[in-house]
Amino acid sequence: MSQENAKTAETSVPFWKEMFSSKNMKLLTRPFGADNPVTVQVLGICSALAVTAKLQPALVMAISVTVVTAFSNLIISLLRNTIPPRIRIIVQLVVIAALVIVVDQILKAVAYEVSKQLSVFVGLIITNCILMGRLEAFAMANKPWPSFLDGLGNGIGYGMILVVLAFFREIIGSGTLLGYRVIPQSFYEAGYSNNGLFILPPMALILLGIIIWIQRSRNKDLIEKEK
Amino acid sequence: MDNNLFSLFVRSIFVDNMVFSYFLGMCSFLAISKNVKTSFGLGIAVIFVMLITVPANFLINKYLLVEGGLSWLSPALAEVDLSFLSFIMFIAVIAAIVQLVEMIVERYSPSLYSSLGIFLPLIAVNCAIMGASLFMQEREYSTLAEATTFAAGSGIGWCLAIVGMAAIREKLKYSNIPAPLKGLGIAFIITGLMGISFMCFLGIEL
């Protein structure tokens, strides 16, 4: 960050303008849609599907992943000139694993119930391809602040997909949101019943397929070309 | 006891299939499953690495990390609980073993290396491998035999899933799919349908 502050002092532009320039903001917002890590870059699918049966664990997972991507991008970007290229994978994994351990310990202390529900998937953030993908593709070649924004953006883009999936799966599958009943009792008395299929794992895949379908119908550039 | 192991083996292939019931290893599952031959190669590599890493991590977990695990070293260490280090230990073991396997295979079997070579580095970040180690810890398998059986079953299950998927995707080239759904979209939906068909194994008790 000090580099950037020094630069802003020279050009006498207020540093916040530099920090939130349109180029930097683009880094933050592109992953929300056109460059979404899950639906376009196909990264981090493993955990995106397993934790979305209910909204609460999905939210916790989204926040955890966002924190870890943002900070691992920042740390690796700060270290990028000192890491020998041959052992960079190990260095990246160690940084990620250390951050994930911190997140895991905090979850266990603050939200024990949710951390039980997430079980191994907190640990699996380490092997989440979004992290390695962004570190390799962005943080190793860019300055700390843009890397931080890129990590934040990708984490949020991933989180958005998680929340959308979890929203539909919980409301259709159990008729609740965050554990509160939203479908009134009178519906059930009139013969409505929950669709148990939405709780089961395969439905997450099919829903994600439909999300991709909708996104690509709206944005024709993303359609895969015939090979 | 033997019956138990067999049951665990079958369960980890079909009922608790890594791909269809836990979605582990989806990234490489979707990226590589375009033709049967390469996906079979990757499947074999996964079985191989899993069979080495899960027992190794089992021993590390049992004799180093769990509370009281260090008591074989000296009684004074009986209360040390290092289990919070398990993530970092597991991933380090996996990364190191993958590197080692790559070097050994390259030295002694160049033909195997040329067919597996490109996949081996990918495996270090395959969530199925890390997931198998974490499930092994979470479900508290008590003996080395159990951990090894579980590893073999999960690896074979993963291999089965990716080969099946690749076979379907090869046929898919000839079908008429709506353009926005091509490629990734339809791959997800097919995986979902395969998952539903694998659910028929639920409830099998051996």
Side-chain angles (χ1 to χ4, degrees), chain B residues 35-46:
Chain B
N35 75 64
V36 174
K37 203 162 166 260
T38 42
S39 47
F40 190 67
L42 182 67
I44 296 293
V46 166

Side-chain angles (χ1 to χ4, degrees), chain B residues 19-193:
Chain B
V19 176
F20 297 128
S21 42
Y22 299 107
F23 308 114
L24 296 179
M26 285 296 287
C27 313
S28 33
F29 179 79
L30 289 168
I32 309 291
S33 64
K34 281 183 182 136
N35 75 64
V36 174
K37 203 162 166 260
T38 42
S39 47
F40 190 67
L42 182 67
I44 296 293
V46 166
I47 298 178
F48 191 58
V49 174
M50 240 184 215
L51 268 177
I52 303 174
T53 54
V54 174
N57 279 336
F58 175 80
L59 293 176
I60 286 178
N61 189 41
K62 189 162 184 191
Y63 293 109
L64 289 178
L65 298 176
V66 289
E67 194 171 0
L70 280 170
S71 54
W72 56 273
L73 210 59
S74 92
L77 293 171
E79 283 176 6
V80 179
D81 181 3
L82 292 175
S83 49
F84 66 93
L85 285 177
S86 54
F87 295 161
I88 212 163
M89 277 306 278
F90 287 176
I91 196 70
V93 166
I94 291 170
I97 286 182
V98 168
Q99 195 88 66
L100 206 66
V101 166
E102 197 181 348
M103 273 151 40
I104 293 172
V105 171
E106 187 179 14
R107 171 73 181 76
Y108 290 104
S109 170
S111 63
L112 183 64
Y113 179 76
S114 61
S115 58
L116 288 186
I118 43 166
F119 300 125
L120 281 171
L122 267 181
I123 287 175
V125 284
N126 186 327
C127 355
I129 307 274
M130 181 72 177
S133 288
L134 290 173
F135 275 127
M136 176 273 297
Q137 187 195 30
E138 170 117 347
R139 294 180 190 159
E140 297 173 347
Y141 290 130
S142 51
T143 62
L144 190 60
E146 268 184 350
T148 316
T149 318
F150 169 70
S154 315
I156 293 171
W158 198 88
C159 180
L160 193 73
I162 194 171
V163 172
M165 182 69 186
I168 295 179
R169 280 180 90 168
E170 280 191 355
K171 297 282 176 217
L172 218 57
K173 279 182 216 146
Y174 309 109
S175 47
N176 199 3
I177 304 161
L181 207 52
K182 268 205 180 105
L184 192 59
I186 196 73
F188 273 118
I189 292 179
I190 287 174
T191 317
L193 294 176

Side-chain angles (χ1 to χ4, degrees), chain B residues 1-10 143 145-147 149-150:
Chain B
M1 184 61 205
D2 284 329
N3 197 18
N4 252 340
L5 284 184
F6 182 71
S7 158
L8 178 67
F9 182 66
V10 174
T143 62
E146 268 184 350
T149 318
F150 169 70

Side-chain angles (χ1 to χ4, degrees), chain A residues 1 6-7 30 47 52 100 106 120 129 133 143 148 176 182 190 194 203 210 213:
Chain A
M1 210 76 80
K7 202 168 75 188
R30 256 184 78 81
S47 54
T52 53
V100 171
I106 291 174
V120 300
C129 342
K143 288 203 174 127
F148 182 75
T176 56
V182 285
N194 290 325
M203 206 53 211
I210 294 170
W213 190 1

